[in-house]
Amino acid sequence: MASKRNQRRWRTGPTSAVSRRRRAVTAHRARRVLALLLIGIAAGIVLLSLLQRSDSLSASWLGVAPDSTARPFAKHIGIISGHKGNDSGAVCPDGLTEAAVNLQHALRIADLLRAQGYTVDVLDEFDARLNGYRAAALISIHADSCDNINAQASGFKLSSNAAPQSERLVACLTQAYQQRTGLRFHANTITRDMLNYHAFRKIDPTTPAVIIETGFLYLDRDLLTHQAERVAQGIVTGVRCFVNETP
Ligand SMILES: [Zn+2]
């Protein structure tokens, strides 16, 4: 009897030690699996946030077709600084060029929009990025002739592409620009170059785009050069009107 009990005790001792070791091993494995799982989830979150930063990437990786209602470029604006990288545009007798005036406006508009949390591309007139360009809106900044044409050669005008949202972009910009600058809309001098603007043919057809002639370099020169802030504010206010109201 005593020897049997001893045997049992002898047997139960090592058996419980083994099971304790097994339990310890199992707990250790469970902790490792849990740790790996947490690392996996964290890596997944980082990857997703990286993908979301690049709209085009997330759209193509997730197999989502481009959809204007998804507003993937809600606060992404393209600004063409008219004639930049190509030619001077209109030139005044004292050497002031349209390209220089346009650049002053484009850079100020970009600064103001960036301060409002927008992503802005300042583009050359024939920028390679224009091919298939996608953004909430593209605005090309130009100014009119420096010739002393007549007393009517004052005011601004716009022409747009055929994207679904373009009409509203024109409406927002026209109203805001008129309000900020006091210039009138000069519709009867819209040229064929404005209607068939080269960038309209290059960009993605869903990107709303306009070309604006901010004023005439002769009669509106003071506004365009010494009050450039009003010009920039007019366009920025128009962009914000458009972007905030895009359904
Ligand atoms: Zn021009």
Side-chain angles (χ1 to χ4, degrees):
M1 279 296 277
S3 68
K4 260 187 186 173
R5 220 180 287 142
N6 277 348
Q7 269 185 336
R8 207 175 290 146
R9 225 177 282 149
W10 183 85
R11 233 185 283 133
T12 53
T15 307
S16 64
V18 165
S19 70
R20 267 203 305 277
R21 220 174 295 137
R22 277 191 189 143
R23 273 202 298 275
V25 168
T26 309
H28 178 70
R29 278 188 189 148
R31 277 197 297 273
R32 260 174 60 181
V33 168
L34 191 69
L36 283 172
L37 203 70
L38 286 175
I39 290 168
I41 290 168
I45 289 168
V46 168
L47 190 69
L48 267 177
S49 66
L50 282 175
L51 282 176
Q52 273 168 356
R53 274 198 207 158
S54 166
D55 294 312
S56 54
L57 260 184
S58 65
S60 59
W61 280 39
L62 301 172
V64 179
D67 178 3
S68 58
T69 58
R71 304 183 61 201
F73 302 106
K75 292 192 99 177
H76 182 185
I77 303 292
I79 303 288
I80 295 178
S81 184
H83 303 277
K84 185 171 178 286
N86 189 63
D87 64 297
S88 60
V91 183
C92 298
D94 66 347
L96 176 73
T97 68
E98 182 203 338
V101 171
N102 295 339
L103 183 61
Q104 185 190 5
H105 295 156
L107 294 179
R108 188 65 191 134
I109 291 162
D111 277 352
L112 290 170
L113 284 173
R114 284 174 187 142
Q116 299 284 341
Y118 284 78
T119 301
V120 184
D121 301 316
V122 176
L123 304 159
D124 283 358
E125 182 66 65
F126 294 98
D127 204 293
R129 288 173 286 178
L130 286 171
N131 295 307
Y133 188 76
R134 293 183 71 194
L138 173 71
I139 300 163
S140 182
I141 310 292
H142 281 257
D144 245 310
S145 166
C146 203
D147 298 339
N148 181 7
I149 303 165
N150 56 42
Q152 270 69 53
S154 166
F156 71 102
K157 61 213 176 200
L158 296 133
S159 166
S160 70
N161 69 346
Q165 297 283 339
S166 290
E167 245 174 74
R168 221 170 46 73
L169 177 62
V170 168
C172 273
L173 283 169
T174 303
Q175 196 195 13
Y177 195 76
Q178 206 152 27
Q179 213 160 35
R180 291 275 182 165
T181 61
L183 289 182
R184 67 189 180 93
F185 191 85
H186 203 273
N188 56 352
T189 53
I190 293 177
T191 61
R192 202 190 299 167
D193 274 352
M194 282 184 79
L195 295 173
N196 298 314
Y197 186 48
H198 70 90
F200 294 165
R201 298 191 296 272
K202 294 170 185 161
I203 63 171
D204 187 288
T206 63
T207 301
V210 303
I211 173 171
I212 179 168
E213 299 273 4
T214 52
F216 285 80
L217 281 165
Y218 186 73
L219 287 182
D220 306 322
R221 177 168 174 158
D222 184 63
L223 172 87
L224 296 178
T225 55
H226 297 126
Q227 301 174 65
E229 187 68 17
R230 284 169 66 194
V231 172
Q233 289 281 2
I235 288 166
V236 167
T237 306
V239 168
R240 297 188 69 197
C241 152
F242 173 70
V243 166
N244 293 339
E245 286 177 15
T246 303

